Amino acid sequence: MTAPTAIRRLNAADPDFAQHLDHLLSWESVSDDSVNQRVLDIIKAVRERGDAALVEFTERFDGLQVASMADLILPRERLELALTRITAPQREALEKAAQRVRSYHEKQKQDSWTYTEADGTVLGQKVTPLDRAGLYVPGGKASYPSSVLMNAIPAKVAGVAEVVMVVPTPRGEINELVLAAACIAGVDRVFTIGGAQAVAALAYGTESVPKVDKVVGPGNIYVATAKRHVFGQVGIDMIAGPSEILVVCDGLTDPDWIAMDLFSQAEHDEDAQAILVSPDAEFLDKVAASIAKLLPTMERAEIINTSINGRGALILVNDMQQAIDVANRIAPEHLELSVADPQAWLPQIRHAGAIFMGRHTSEALGDYCAGPNHVLPTSGTARFSSPLGVYDFQKRSSIIFCSEQGASELGKTASVLARGESLTGHARSAEYRIIADEQGQ
Ligand SMILES: NC(=O)c1ccc[n+]([C@@H]2O[C@H](COP(=O)([O-])OP(=O)(O)OC[C@H]3O[C@@H](n4cnc5c(N)ncnc54)[C@H](O)[C@@H]3O)[C@@H](O)[C@H]2O)c1
Ligand SMILES: N[C@H](CO)Cc1c[nH]c[nH+]1
Ligand SMILES: [Zn+2]
């Protein structure tokens, strides 16, 4: 066990507070050069040597030795078998969660639209699903059946033709719930590979793994860094790295509840980040005491301890207004508003992946079954990214139909602008369509 928990304390009244906060949040301290270089090497190897590299990396990083890539492919029948191997309550819970996630995501579906102008010109937007999506389901330090649902259901709602999933199975340990979830969500193909090598395989294709149009899903630092590097070759959803929780509390929630909410994200990964902000100094002391009391009871105490010691913090602010300002500065993946009247503060929240309203709404409910997606932007990227959704699996094409009259009219405007750009090919192309008796008008 690492040193006993000593969570960092910050005070917003400290003149160096902004600097301390920046240091606490800095992604670079996690995503260092050695990780970057390792990921680049892995991507290069997969591009050059395909399946052979996947087999090698799976042995090296997942401790799983196989004769060939064929041993890392699970057919649809294997997913169906998993459904028969889980318990009835497990199947019921998966199906209930799937149904709630589906209902929520149905509302996100975007439809094509057009409108017609007076001269018959039609303008619009055609929405098309991706042909093939690659879903990354994490599996290193924990198994994530819930992430299967969160990745696959929006893809299916969007109408993606082929959904390919990758998931590492360290030491060959297959989690039946993960496969059962893939069956329920309608995943088409599964490869038991993970890490940067799996992201590279989806992005570039290998002899066995089909090249996809977009790679989505959460993962550790290697996965998140690989997604950054393959962007452009394929689409990606966002940077969904190590989990984060920011709790803003008025000091009136049970401190044990808050300690456990912090643990719920810290237990994902040593790199996870759990922060509490409160204007009540005594309450921060109580939560620190709850952390010390409850940590030894946790199955994943070692991971939680490293995460809390390395990246956690208890932040004292002057008042709730300052707490909200700090939350917007952090732009956390998950924000819990553990306060009496969360609705009153909601209008002021500008940056957060998901907002959990009130003392009873633990973040864990959102992780599994509330309905919204749990694949969320991390490390401050909620400033410009959104939760994974149906829109990530749909793209848009513009539709332009010009009637003869419309082309003639627009041609006059285009001609002037094109000549202003000295692009006379454009100008003359547009001018050809100007109706003769309107020329020069
Ligand atoms: N932001 C979100 O929406 C979200 C959702 C769920 C989980 N998560 C996060 O996903 C992550 C899951 O991480 P995980 O580790 O359990 O599973 P993972 O599948 O993301 O990573 C495991 C893989 O990492 C690779 N790897 C591990 N050590 C390596 C090394 N030294 N060099 C090269 N590659 C290495 C291996 O290939 C292994 O298969 C956690 O950080 C969790 O917090 C985030
Ligand atoms: N909290 C994770 C997103 O950061 C999602 C998850 C899955 N299972 C448990 N939690
Ligand atoms: Zn979680």
Side-chain angles (χ1 to χ4, degrees):
M1 184 100 165
T2 46
T5 300
I7 189 164
R8 180 188 284 101
R9 300 284 192 116
L10 299 184
N11 186 336
D14 182 336
D16 295 332
F17 173 67
Q19 228 176 307
H20 291 312
L21 188 60
D22 281 352
H23 178 70
L24 177 70
L25 301 177
S26 64
W27 169 251
E28 292 71 26
S29 63
V30 177
S31 181
D32 62 17
D33 286 349
S34 68
V35 170
N36 245 321
Q37 193 50 54
R38 177 172 283 206
V39 166
L40 284 171
D41 292 345
I42 292 171
I43 293 173
K44 184 164 180 276
V46 172
R47 289 185 70 176
E48 287 173 0
R49 296 189 293 110
D51 284 353
L54 291 179
V55 168
E56 276 172 37
F57 288 132
T58 301
E59 180 175 352
R60 188 181 323 164
F61 298 126
D62 294 335
L64 170 60
Q65 199 174 1
V66 293
S68 75
M69 189 63 202
D71 297 328
L72 300 174
I73 302 174
L74 298 180
R76 178 81 198 166
E77 301 79 65
R78 180 62 186 84
L79 311 187
E80 281 156 13
L81 177 66
L83 253 196
T84 68
R85 289 187 171 173
I86 60 174
T87 65
Q90 285 176 327
R91 182 166 179 170
E92 232 170 79
L94 274 182
E95 279 170 351
K96 179 161 187 190
Q99 175 255 317
R100 292 185 62 86
V101 171
R102 195 172 295 113
S103 302
Y104 181 87
H105 286 82
E106 288 282 356
K107 296 202 185 303
Q108 293 179 338
K109 215 168 159 182
Q110 299 168 324
D111 291 318
S112 301
W113 50 265
T114 59
Y115 63 92
T116 306
E117 295 183 327
D119 61 14
T121 293
V122 179
L123 302 175
Q125 188 170 274
K126 177 174 151 52
V127 178
T128 322
L130 303 182
D131 287 343
R132 189 187 280 143
L135 316 182
Y136 189 90
V137 173
K141 299 194 172 97
S143 291
Y144 289 97
S146 54
S147 297
V148 176
L149 303 181
M150 298 292 177
N151 272 310
I153 290 173
K156 285 286 167 179
V157 170
V160 173
E162 193 180 359
V163 172
V164 181
M165 176 178 131
V166 292
V167 58
T169 54
R171 297 163 301 284
E173 288 158 21
I174 288 186
N175 182 294
E176 297 294 338
L177 272 172
V178 164
L179 302 191
C183 190
I184 288 170
V187 170
D188 298 292
R189 303 166 76 171
V190 177
F191 296 88
T192 54
I193 53 176
Q197 60 275 18
V199 173
L202 289 170
Y204 292 98
T206 69
E207 301 90 316
S208 304
V209 181
K211 177 171 147 36
V212 302
D213 300 304
K214 190 163 185 172
V215 179
V216 305
N220 66 8
I221 181 82
Y222 296 98
V223 173
T225 305
K227 279 173 68 183
R228 269 192 194 165
H229 285 301
V230 300
F231 176 64
Q233 166 67 20
V234 282
I236 63 165
D237 48 350
M238 70 188 93
I239 300 302
S243 301
E244 302 162 358
I245 184 167
L246 175 66
V247 181
V248 168
C249 186
D250 53 14
L252 297 174
T253 308
D254 184 329
D256 284 358
W257 290 17
I258 299 298
M260 199 55 72
D261 293 356
L262 298 174
F263 288 176
S264 78
Q265 296 310 288
E267 74 174 350
H268 278 289
D269 196 327
E270 291 86 349
D271 290 337
Q273 184 156 61
I275 300 176
L276 167 63
V277 182
S278 177
D280 184 336
E282 270 179 35
F283 180 70
L284 294 180
D285 292 341
K286 284 183 193 158
V287 173
S290 292
I291 289 174
K293 176 186 74 181
L294 293 170
L295 187 70
T297 71
M298 301 304 294
E299 285 178 23
R300 298 164 74 88
E302 183 80 27
I303 294 177
I304 295 172
N305 199 37
T306 308
S307 156
I308 294 265
N309 277 344
R311 305 202 69 215
L314 303 178
I315 303 180
L316 180 65
V317 284
N318 290 332
D319 51 23
M320 278 297 297
Q321 183 58 56
Q322 194 173 35
I324 299 297
D325 295 344
V326 169
N328 281 324
R329 161 69 189 86
I330 293 176
E333 179 193 14
H334 305 107
L335 172 63
E336 269 188 21
L337 290 179
S338 197
V339 298
D341 184 7
Q343 285 291 349
W345 297 105
L346 186 61
Q348 294 196 50
I349 303 298
R350 299 198 323 284
H351 312 300
I355 305 165
F356 297 79
M357 307 275 292
R359 305 188 203 291
H360 290 277
T361 316
S362 73
E363 189 278 338
L365 301 181
D367 279 351
Y368 293 105
C369 53
N373 211 289
H374 82 201
V375 181
L376 297 164
T378 55
S379 62
T381 58
R383 285 174 294 116
F384 52 82
S385 291
S386 307
L388 183 67
V390 174
Y391 37 76
D392 284 299
F393 299 98
Q394 294 183 312
K395 59 202 174 49
R396 297 159 290 277
S397 305
S398 303
I399 304 289
I400 307 168
F401 164 79
C402 288
S403 63
E404 188 181 0
Q405 189 61 44
S408 180
E409 204 46 45
L410 285 180
K412 295 173 202 164
T413 304
S415 161
V416 173
L417 293 176
R419 288 185 185 281
E421 291 181 354
S422 302
L423 294 175
T424 48
H426 290 65
R428 292 176 62 183
S429 167
E431 287 158 5
Y432 274 140
R433 272 88 171 177
I434 298 176
I435 297 169
D437 60 6
E438 294 186 354
Q439 293 275 7
Q441 278 180 13

